[in-house]
Amino acid sequence: MYDIESLYTATSVDDAVRALAEDPEAIVIAGGTDVLVKIREGKFAGAHLVSIHELHDELDGVALAEDGTVEIGPITWFHHVTTSKVIQDTVPVLGETCDTPGGPQLRVSGTIGGNICNAATSADSASTLYAFGALLDVKGPNGVRTIPIEEWYAGPGKSTKERNEILVKIRIPKDHYEGFTGHYFKYGKRRALEIATMGCCCLVKLSPDKKTVDDIRLAFGVAGPTPMRARSAEEQVRGMAVTDAVEKIGELAAADTNPRDSWRASKDFRLQLIKEMSKRSFVEAARRGGAEL
């Protein structure tokens, strides 16, 4: 059973912000694929819910702004991110990423915004959006502010978004994705309906002759308590020959991360995953960029 004390359906973003401000116990629900599970587990007993599920005009869909920024509404289903022509033409690796959570039923009910707002390091979209340096616009009683994704995560399951703020837009500026090709690698014990044991996204920008790494972004989920970039590894790989980077990137990434032991996987196993997934993701991203490997 679901222990829900009240459910308010917001008529606009401003209405939702007002409802959250007036009720200090209220929490937002959209697709419900995370919130309802937590309620059923007893974590939000007597929940006061503010639904933004119907705010399609304000919070749903994918668009390309005049300056080339990719703009994604937070209540956009994973499936609609994957199939968006804008996503396929600009940041296709994000579309591929959004085709990995859960199974087909979840991907037409779960939202990309919910995946971010639960602030889990294992969230499938987290490492890819982290690699792209996504900008997250939130609206609260004091107006709209932008939180760079690097400043979003405050710890396991915690974000810097205030309780009475709503995520209203996910933005990826053109200079964050132009010229990059990428690959997302999810490792789990099965191919679907699985939480990531490790997630890895690699974005690569190659030199004109496709033999040198001009730029690279390497991001992980579950390599630490929050999503993270392997920044030291990135710095060392920039300017390196692609063939040399293939051989070195795994060890460099492992030295840059600090996964933990848990019931789902040991630290040593996760370090091995980081080494192998970094290499495989880099190789595929570089091939997509025209490298001969």
Side-chain angles (χ1 to χ4, degrees), residues 30-150:
T33 57
D34 284 317
V35 172
L36 290 177
V37 170
K38 290 177 181 178
I39 292 173
R40 191 164 187 173
E41 292 175 345
K43 295 180 180 178
F44 296 145
H48 297 199
L49 302 179
V50 174
S51 174
I52 58 172
H53 186 268
E54 302 302 321
L55 304 184
H56 298 287
D57 288 345
E58 293 182 86
L59 300 180
D60 194 9
V62 181
L64 188 66
E66 289 186 4
D67 65 358
T69 298
V70 177
E71 300 181 340
I72 307 170
I75 69 169
T76 307
W77 290 345
F78 289 118
H79 177 68
H80 285 172
V81 176
T82 299
T83 57
S84 163
K85 185 69 163 54
V86 170
I87 296 293
Q88 292 171 356
D89 288 346
T90 56
V91 288
V93 65
L94 180 60
E96 295 167 5
T97 299
C98 287
D99 202 34
T100 64
Q105 290 175 313
L106 182 140
R107 294 194 289 270
V108 293
S109 55
T111 65
I112 188 170
N115 207 226
I116 297 168
C117 288
N118 70 16
T121 186
S122 58
D124 285 303
S125 67
S127 55
T128 299
L129 288 171
Y130 215 92
F132 278 117
L135 303 176
L136 308 174
D137 296 337
V138 299
K139 187 171 188 179
N142 298 320
V144 177
R145 66 187 179 114
T146 298
I147 306 174
I149 198 165
E150 295 88 353

